[in-house]
Amino acid sequence: MSAESTPVPTATSAAAKPTALKNQPDILTGSGAILRSLEMLGVKDVFGLPGGAIMPFYDELMSSTAIRHILVRHEQGAGHAAEGYASSTGKVGVAIATSGPGATNLVTAIADAYMDSVPLLCITGQVFSTLMGTDAFQEVDIVGITMPITKHSFLVTDPADVPATLAAAYLLASTGRPGPVLVDVTKDAQQNSAPFIWPPKIDLPGYRPVIKAHGKQIQAAAALLAEAKRPVFYVGGGVIRAEASAELLKLAELTGVPVVTTLMARGAFPDSHPQALGMPGMHGTVPAVLALQESDLLISLGARFDDRVTGKVSEFAPDAKVVHVDIDPAEISKIRVADVPIVGDAKDVIIDLIAAFTEVSHGTAPDLAEWWLRLNQLKTDFPLGYAEPVDGLISPQYVIERIGQITGPEGIYASGVGQHQMWAAQFIKYERPNAWLNSGGAGTMGYGVPAAMGAKVANPDRTVWAIDGDGCFQMTNQELATCTINKIPIKVAIINNSSLGMVRQWQTLFYDGRHSFTDLNTGDGTIMIPDFVKLADAYGALGIRVTKKEDVDAAIKLANETNDRPVVIDFVVSRDSMVWPMVPQGVGNSSVQYAREHAPEWEEE
């Protein structure tokens, strides 16, 4: 969609209608203009925390009947909640904070959204324009701070500029490659008044995202696909952001080509489909990793050749030609040179590729029997599995697998970062897009609980789980108070191995077992600091502790049946469980069998 002369959304609320009925525009304060702009953009839910520099807007917001405000306990929680809201719906998430530390507390979530292409609108208050540059109380240059981690950051000092700026920010966040946009509004701009003029169109010079790909590039990709003997669809999160899962399924079934889905693309293609090979990369399935390595053609759809997928880049898929499809031209050939570069929206490109392939192949799928013989053998030889812990504690993989099986594919699963994140990506079967939420690029601990909260606000009729580690949970668990007070009944599974598990795994493997400062003492038998069940009770949530395998199912079912408050289950699991397979950092993906040399014998479930 070209942003040049793009019409902006029309009024969607009663509060916006008077402007259209009068010959003269309404005179509004800047804070009133922010509120009306959000209403006209169709925003229904926002997450935030008030403070001095954003107080004029909050004074306006309390009278709104169109927008629900969720008062968080930390601004990072507001940002991650807005991310969860956006990632589970495709809509723009909105987070609000005051100046200074309020704004800087949003930075982690903004960086996270930037890495994972999440459409986010962050509105921050700023000190009076007359005080800017004087080191005034709670003054920071949040526009400058966020410039490298946003699609754009705006500073508004004139109330007349509020409507056009917010309309532009919303457009930027939601079009092209989605991402976060920040609007910083000085306190005097919020307090002063100006005519409210909603722009009939937005013209942003230089911002013209390409949606429709060049026809010759599509034809070249189709020709390569028809000739390939070992092709693979390498699918990234861009397919989910483009809402192109149905088109991907059609293309895959038309061609018979295997599909791998990155960490950010879990659910873009159904795990139950026979052409699904699972997740590639450092902790990917052996079939997915070796399919990429042995392929002669990679069709990369909305993926960015992340280092966690490629391993040592010079050894990645050495015999493969590359068709790289991405809406962001900066990603094309950034890491791996593309033989056929295609800039465009994934949905539009896939639709065109289906037509081009049908024409060039005369509707006949290529003969990939020998390729599938190899891949199916890999599936047989290297199934995902895990060994039962020898310490008598619960297997964390089993817990996560049962959460997925009991809750089912209609649930939403938001994870923190670490071992539990990888196990959740591996052992929960995803059948639809937007069911799996995680911090992929930034790897942000603390993402899980607030992201689940935001997803539940956006999807009140779905069961929403936060699958968290005991380390991650302690970073943002204060948002349980937000959930309880606002009747947001998320389920939290704490995979409690009493340690920073992923760091501990690396210390075990690569630092001769020197576990430097990774013990958390959250559940090692005698010490529980904090006691997560008591903490849950203090927050008004239902707290459950599970230490035996036979009690796992009952706890999950009770959580799923409890919808009058949040639920926290403290699953005390083995700290010696590791994430397998594993490609060590800095080596080629062909070393995926490294895992077999270091892991206990896998048990096929």
Side-chain angles (χ1 to χ4, degrees), residues 79-332:
H80 291 322
E83 283 190 278
Y85 188 97
S87 294
S88 64
T89 62
K91 300 177 182 177
V92 175
V94 181
I96 302 170
T98 193
S99 65
T104 58
N105 281 344
L106 278 178
V107 168
T108 295
I110 292 171
D112 192 276
Y114 187 71
M115 289 286 281
D116 289 346
S117 304
V118 180
L120 209 62
L121 173 59
C122 294
I123 300 172
T124 54
Q126 182 56 274
V127 300
F128 285 91
S129 59
T130 54
L131 295 177
M132 291 182 67
T134 68
D135 294 330
F137 176 67
Q138 291 192 332
E139 180 194 0
V140 297
D141 179 10
I142 194 63
V143 169
I145 288 171
T146 58
M147 271 295 183
I149 54 171
T150 56
K151 289 188 71 175
H152 194 68
S153 294
F154 294 90
L155 173 64
V156 179
T157 60
D158 186 338
D161 295 336
V162 167
T165 302
L166 283 175
Y170 193 93
L171 180 73
L172 281 168
S174 58
T175 59
R177 179 178 181 172
V181 179
L182 179 130
V183 179
D184 194 36
V185 189
T186 62
K187 192 168 184 178
D188 50 317
Q190 295 174 59
Q191 292 177 336
N192 295 335
S193 299
F196 182 88
I197 301 174
W198 190 245
K201 63 180 182 180
I202 302 173
D203 185 10
L204 300 176
Y207 181 69
R208 296 175 179 84
V210 176
I211 303 300
K212 200 73 172 173
H214 196 287
K216 287 187 177 180
Q217 300 300 89
I218 297 289
Q219 294 293 334
L224 287 178
L225 187 55
E227 296 166 2
K229 301 300 182 185
R230 300 186 307 280
V232 177
F233 287 125
Y234 162 34
V235 177
V239 168
I240 291 180
R241 297 290 181 252
E243 300 179 348
S245 294
E247 290 75 14
L248 171 64
L249 179 62
K250 183 176 179 181
L251 176 63
E253 291 182 340
L254 173 68
T255 60
V257 172
V259 179
V260 301
T261 48
T262 67
L263 180 67
M264 291 304 300
R266 302 292 289 118
F269 190 78
D271 278 340
S272 61
H273 198 284
Q275 289 171 238
L277 298 183
M279 181 176 73
M282 178 176 283
H283 296 296
T285 67
V286 173
V289 172
L290 293 185
L292 293 179
Q293 282 302 99
E294 298 174 14
S295 66
D296 63 0
L297 176 66
L298 292 184
I299 306 285
S300 175
L301 301 168
R304 57 186 180 86
F305 292 82
D306 177 75
D307 63 284
R308 286 307 196 251
V309 169
T310 64
K312 191 173 183 180
V313 177
S314 61
E315 298 179 15
F316 177 67
D319 299 323
K321 292 184 177 179
V322 173
V323 175
H324 193 175
V325 178
D326 204 291
I327 198 165
D328 184 355
E331 291 296 342
I332 304 292

